[in-house]
Amino acid sequence: MNKTENSVFSSVKRKIKLSDWKLIIPYLVLLGTGILMVYSSSSYFAMSQFNNSEYFLIRQFIFSVGSLLVVFLGSTLSKRLFTSTKFLGTSLVVIFFLLLYVLLKGIAVNGASAWIDLGLFSVQPSELLKIIMVLYLATFLSRNEEKFADIRSAEGTNIFKKIFAVAKKPILVIVTLLFLVLIQPDMGGVIIIGAICLTMLLMSGLPFWIGLMTFGGVIAFYLAFIGLIKWQGGLPFLPGYMMDRFTAFLDPFADAKDSSFQLVNSFYALARGGLFGVGIGESVQKTGYLPESYTDFIIPIMAEELGLIRVLLVLLTFFYLVFRIFKISLGIKDSFGQLVCIGMGTLFLVQGTINVGGAVGILPLTGVTFPFVSYGGSSLIVSSVALAIVNNIYINDRLIHARLD
């Protein structure tokens, strides 16, 4: 081994030692839980469709190995890559064309043309967009701190004029890409990416009252939208399957054999499991009663087999991971690192909340998976990239402190 190779090896080894294990250990617990529950929740369907009960287990195991490699490699990359204008610009252009491609030739899943088939697994461009949008906004906002400081001193409507003057380019990028995701239509993706963008913009130093106004506006729009659906009984511009999700949310048992079929069977799974569950592999709902039992509805199957107490432990592990990401952001000295952690933390928080909220009936179903646990290569790898970037930010911050000491 020559000096250069030895130096690289030593650098990588040092970075791995500096990893935030309070972040990595919950990730490993969730990954292991995901492998177990994907096998259990998918075995019946896999046997009936592919004559192999381990079909999804094998694929999820391969995805999990890939996830570990992504976290390892992503944690040791140079931080400069994440702020590279060339890398970010190229990524946004590629994602723009991928989003156009899925509209024309993408695979339709549950009513949304959002997937590109790559054989072993399918890629969802909107998943990639989540990561790139965080890095793009964090780079833009950190490079324009002084301009945003001037915005804070503005009064009245002038503040909105200044925001648009400073941020018109990222606003145009966000609106264009979100529109392409919306018309797939991928409502879950729009909500998650929109939440990421709003949170990062508000955390960049904009006045607190703008955050309150934005949050209030979103809540008011949501309530008005739900109220309109309930009053009119439907909206002509919404696709039929999406309308079914809203009507099922508003009155799950009104159409339990059709539009509310998934949600009602999710309730049955949750109720049947009780506190301690019926035992691993003993779910009834996974035997054809609850579609997407190993993806969107893996939490209800987990509740049925493992019980409420163990599911709460899994959820606590996940939300501790989210808490840890936000806590890391408070300790990072540079604004880019802070904003990246805030963006990634928001990604996990919103996605996990939407998935669980939909499964228990407090939010409309959106087809969003539960990070690190649900089956799926695209979702798992993207979640792993997000985690790796946060760990990378943490490692580089510790390296800077070590040099200063």
Side-chain angles (χ1 to χ4, degrees):
M1 185 179 290
N2 58 43
K3 288 184 178 180
T4 303
E5 290 174 337
N6 191 45
S7 175
V8 171
F9 179 76
S10 298
S11 176
V12 169
K13 188 177 178 181
R14 188 183 184 195
K15 284 184 175 182
I16 294 300
K17 284 184 177 180
L18 290 174
S19 291
D20 182 12
W21 292 100
K22 292 179 181 179
L23 185 71
I24 299 299
I25 290 173
Y27 152 72
L28 293 174
V29 170
L30 292 169
L31 197 66
T33 303
I35 293 171
L36 174 66
M37 288 313 305
V38 164
Y39 177 45
S40 180
S41 60
S42 69
S43 57
Y44 179 87
F45 178 76
M47 192 67 188
S48 62
Q49 294 293 314
F50 305 102
N51 199 32
N52 180 6
S53 62
E54 298 175 356
Y55 179 82
F56 291 104
L57 168 67
I58 294 167
R59 293 164 75 92
Q60 186 70 3
F61 182 79
I62 293 170
F63 298 151
S64 297
V65 171
S67 168
L68 290 168
L69 290 173
V70 164
V71 171
F72 172 78
L73 294 173
S75 297
T76 58
L77 288 173
S78 170
K79 185 181 169 183
R80 288 191 296 271
L81 174 65
F82 305 136
T83 59
S84 167
T85 303
K86 186 175 181 180
F87 168 71
L88 294 173
T90 302
S91 298
L92 287 170
V93 170
V94 169
I95 289 172
F96 173 78
F97 283 108
L98 288 176
L99 289 172
L100 286 178
Y101 177 83
V102 295
L103 289 173
L104 299 172
K105 296 186 176 181
I107 300 170
V109 177
N110 295 329
S113 297
W115 302 85
I116 299 172
D117 186 12
L118 296 181
L120 179 62
F121 66 98
S122 299
V123 171
Q124 193 173 9
S126 60
E127 288 285 326
L128 304 175
L129 180 58
K130 295 172 187 176
I131 303 295
I132 297 302
M133 190 58 73
V134 170
L135 297 177
Y136 171 68
L137 274 181
T139 301
F140 175 83
L141 294 170
S142 61
R143 289 176 179 174
N144 290 274
E145 284 184 276
E146 293 183 4
K147 292 179 181 179
F148 275 87
D150 291 338
I151 290 173
R152 288 194 293 272
S153 63
E155 296 181 356
T157 56
N158 286 333
I159 195 167
F160 295 104
K161 292 178 181 177
K162 284 196 170 186
I163 290 172
F164 185 76
V166 172
K168 57 179 176 289
K169 184 178 177 180
I171 288 172
L172 179 62
V173 170
I174 291 167
V175 170
T176 301
L177 294 174
L178 276 182
F179 176 73
L180 291 176
V181 176
L182 179 64
I183 61 177
Q184 291 177 0
D186 178 7
M187 189 60 70
V190 170
I191 293 170
I192 294 167
I193 297 167
I196 289 169
C197 295
L198 278 175
T199 304
M200 291 181 70
L201 285 168
L202 294 171
M203 290 297 104
S204 66
L206 293 179
F208 183 67
W209 65 267
I210 291 183
L212 285 177
M213 188 178 72
T214 304
F215 182 74
V218 170
I219 295 297
F221 175 80
Y222 174 74
L223 292 175
F225 187 75
I226 293 296
L228 190 60
I229 291 174
K230 199 166 186 179
W231 177 48
Q232 293 287 341
L235 294 174
F237 57 84
L238 279 181
Y241 82 93
M242 196 175 289
M243 194 67 246
D244 288 344
R245 288 177 175 179
F246 279 105
T247 54
F249 161 68
L250 292 169
D251 191 355
F253 291 94
D255 191 14
K257 292 184 179 180
D258 191 8
S259 62
S260 303
F261 184 76
Q262 278 184 303
L263 188 55
V264 168
N265 279 285
S266 176
F267 292 162
Y268 290 155
L270 292 165
R272 186 168 181 265
L275 288 177
F276 303 105
V278 297
I280 193 75
E282 299 299 320
S283 167
V284 170
Q285 296 304 311
K286 71 182 181 184
T287 61
Y289 293 100
L290 181 56
E292 316 296 339
S293 60
Y294 51 95
T295 54
D296 304 357
F297 287 91
I298 199 166
I299 295 297
I301 299 300
M302 190 187 302
E304 184 183 5
E305 295 192 344
L306 302 182
L308 177 63
I309 292 174
R310 293 187 183 95
V311 167
L312 287 177
L313 289 175
V314 172
L315 293 179
L316 282 172
T317 302
F318 173 75
F319 286 109
Y320 173 78
L321 182 146
V322 174
F323 164 78
R324 185 62 192 168
I325 292 173
F326 284 123
K327 189 173 182 181
I328 288 171
S329 75
L330 297 175
I332 302 297
K333 300 304 178 186
D334 69 289
S335 56
F336 170 78
Q338 289 176 342
L339 288 165
V340 167
C341 290
I342 289 169
M344 298 305 184
T346 303
L347 190 166
F348 287 126
L349 177 62
V350 175
Q351 183 163 330
T353 301
I354 289 175
N355 176 271
V356 176
V360 300
I362 62 173
L363 290 173
L365 298 173
T366 56
V368 169
T369 56
F370 192 79
F372 302 116
V373 177
S374 293
Y375 171 79
S378 183
S379 176
L380 178 56
I381 296 301
V382 167
S383 296
S384 304
V385 170
L387 188 90
I389 292 172
V390 171
N391 195 39
N392 186 292
I393 297 290
Y394 176 83
I395 290 168
N396 279 284
D397 188 69
R398 290 189 67 184
L399 285 171
I400 290 169
H401 284 302
R403 292 191 195 104
L404 291 175
D405 293 340

